[in-house]
Amino acid sequence: MTATNDQRKIRYAVVGLGWFAQEAALPSFVHADNSELVALVSDDATKSEELSKKYGIKHTYSYEQYEDCLTSGEVDAVYIALPNHLHCEYTVRAANQSIHVLCEKPMATTEQECEAMIKAANDNNVKLMIAYRLHLEEANLQAVEIVRSKQIGEARIFNSVFTQQVEEGNIRLRDVTGGGTLYDTGIYCINAARYLLQDEPIEVFAVAANNGEERFSEVEEMTSVILRFPNERLATFTCSFGGASVSSYQIVGTQGDLRVESAYAWQGELKHYLTINGETQERTFEDHDQLAAEFIYFSDCILQDKNPEPSGTEGLIDVSIIQALYKSIETRQPVQIETRDRHQRPTSAQTIQRPPVEETPDLINAAAPSKE
């Protein structure tokens, strides 16, 4: 059942109550005027009970009761914050019940799963959006405009570092659940390179490294990547689960460069360092509620019957690139990529600003991924 324009609010069930859902998503509904949190789906009874009390939510479901949630008539959309290997199943099941889907990235773990999700959404005439929150975030969208306006000349080089310490036992370190550096942090670098260069890579190469610690027994410790874009442009990045917290990128043009610090962060200030002809200007972007922006944007797409820009196709392209990168690691060879058409790109017109969440909530049976 879909909300009408008269309701003005899309009713959400949050599926999966891990640290990110608790810390970032649940508190943000207070800033999303056209969205309402009405249900929780989790197998952890303690999480469901305590969080439903905290946020005044009447409806809680276990994973076995997911179908009951979808058919209850109480929910218009789901926000899926489950481990990566479950994204496809829970998206398809929601779409088959005519429930709209906002799914966390990576969209899935294989191209085939992504295609099944897109097909289910199309077949049931529901909206599918992948949670690329930076497609709505001012600092990153202003970076897009700087590149597009050629303030730094012709953009030729993208370089990025995205690293953090992930503690042993974290789900990101499990292979069976779709963990690994490329699916978790590398996807941000890939997506940023694509939206800044406004193009798709045609060839990729990657090398993985591992320091032998027990926590990296199933996935790589770190990965370095080269992406070749049309017109002989290069993007490079390194992502790691074993380094200090760094989140930055730099795009270099023929006349200048732009460096963005804390580029991929979901909270806190972001900074631009724009250098043109040897002169550097700094700009600070205030902290905003990025998850509220996502809910507002997706709800508006449902209410106004618009196709979300961070679509299933956007998610599919990143997953196909990640799969090619793992093939390159395995074969120790460059891998050619079949370029997919992508006509929609994020622009500054998508910027949505809401005040930041005032306080960090205490986590219930969940641990943040980083020590820092």
Side-chain angles (χ1 to χ4, degrees):
M1 177 180 177
T2 302
T4 65
N5 285 334
D6 291 334
Q7 283 179 278
R8 306 312 304 167
K9 285 194 177 186
I10 297 300
R11 301 166 301 169
Y12 284 82
V14 170
V15 186
L17 298 176
W19 78 270
F20 191 73
Q22 290 189 39
E23 195 166 309
L26 298 182
S28 72
F29 278 94
V30 70
H31 294 144
D33 295 341
N34 61 358
S35 309
E36 183 180 7
L37 176 60
V38 299
L40 302 175
V41 182
S42 173
D43 266 356
D44 189 317
T46 302
K47 287 181 183 179
S48 294
E49 181 179 356
E50 293 192 25
L51 292 169
S52 63
K53 287 180 180 177
K54 179 174 182 176
Y55 293 102
I57 299 164
K58 295 180 181 178
H59 308 289
T60 62
Y61 302 89
S62 68
Y63 294 130
E64 283 190 357
Q65 298 169 321
Y66 184 52
E67 215 70 23
D68 296 334
C69 173
L70 298 173
T71 59
S72 66
E74 300 290 341
V75 170
D76 305 305
V78 292
Y79 167 66
I80 295 177
L82 292 164
N84 301 338
H85 71 299
L86 298 174
H87 288 183
C88 178
E89 176 193 345
Y90 280 77
T91 293
V92 170
R93 289 173 65 185
N96 286 341
Q97 295 296 346
S98 298
I99 300 297
H100 303 286
V101 179
L102 173 58
C103 181
E104 266 302 336
K105 60 196 173 302
M107 181 177 179
T109 57
T110 68
E111 292 178 74
Q112 292 74 19
E113 287 183 334
C114 294
E115 289 163 352
M117 295 162 74
I118 293 169
K119 183 178 187 301
N122 290 339
D123 287 350
N124 293 282
N125 195 31
V126 300
K127 305 298 182 188
L128 170 61
M129 175 173 151
I130 311 306
Y132 288 102
R133 52 184 168 73
L134 299 182
H135 286 215
L136 306 166
E137 190 280 317
E138 185 182 18
N140 281 278
L141 294 177
Q142 284 302 311
V144 170
E145 298 302 333
I146 287 168
V147 174
R148 290 179 65 188
S149 65
K150 300 191 185 304
Q151 291 183 51
I152 60 172
E154 292 288 340
R156 300 287 298 151
I157 299 163
F158 171 91
N159 186 44
S160 183
V161 176
F162 192 9
T163 57
Q164 59 185 302
Q165 287 286 353
V166 177
E167 295 184 343
E168 189 168 357
N170 190 278
I171 198 168
R172 300 173 179 210
L173 301 174
R174 296 288 310 283
D175 178 58
V176 70
T177 57
T181 55
L182 291 175
Y183 281 113
D184 188 75
T185 52
I187 191 170
Y188 286 88
C189 309
I190 293 166
N191 200 256
R194 292 177 51 239
Y195 63 65
L196 288 166
L197 294 175
Q198 301 275 291
D199 217 335
E200 305 300 339
I202 56 177
E203 184 181 37
V204 304
F205 181 72
V207 176
N210 195 319
N211 64 8
E213 290 183 32
E214 178 62 27
R215 58 180 165 148
F216 303 124
S217 61
E218 295 186 31
V219 301
E220 68 282 354
E221 175 202 351
M222 58 182 170
T223 308
S224 287
V225 167
I226 302 173
L227 308 174
R228 183 188 298 277
F229 283 80
N231 301 317
E232 291 299 294
R233 294 166 293 170
L234 294 177
T236 62
F237 68 84
T238 296
C239 52
S240 172
F241 286 160
S245 290
V246 177
S247 168
S248 66
Y249 64 68
Q250 183 178 29
I251 186 147
V252 181
T254 53
Q255 297 173 10
D257 73 274
L258 172 67
R259 183 163 52 91
V260 182
E261 291 289 346
S262 298
Y264 309 120
W266 64 272
Q267 60 180 347
E269 291 182 345
L270 280 73
K271 290 192 175 182
H272 277 196
Y273 300 87
L274 176 63
T275 302
I276 301 172
N277 296 324
E279 294 189 7
T280 300
Q281 297 177 341
E282 296 183 17
R283 181 181 178 185
T284 299
F285 296 82
E286 293 182 359
D287 185 12
H288 289 107
D289 187 338
Q290 296 182 20
L291 273 291
E294 280 190 324
F295 293 126
I296 290 167
Y297 178 84
F298 187 52
S299 293
D300 186 59
C301 286
I302 296 169
L303 292 165
Q304 304 299 327
D305 192 22
K306 299 186 295 186
N307 293 323
E309 177 275 314
S311 64
T313 300
E314 182 76 352
L316 168 62
I317 291 172
D318 279 345
V319 170
S320 68
I321 293 168
I322 289 170
Q323 288 199 283
L325 288 167
Y326 278 119
K327 181 179 178 182
S328 176
I329 291 169
E330 183 181 349
T331 62
R332 301 192 175 190
Q333 296 291 328
V335 174
Q336 304 288 323
I337 288 187
E338 181 181 344
T339 303
R340 288 182 168 87
D341 289 334
R342 182 75 178 123
H343 302 296
Q344 284 184 297
R345 304 279 180 187
T347 70
S348 59
Q350 290 180 191
T351 304
I352 296 176
Q353 297 178 348
R354 288 296 182 273
V357 174
E358 292 183 359
E359 59 183 61
T360 301
D362 293 331
L363 296 177
I364 301 166
N365 294 348
S370 178
K371 296 176 182 175
E372 300 176 54

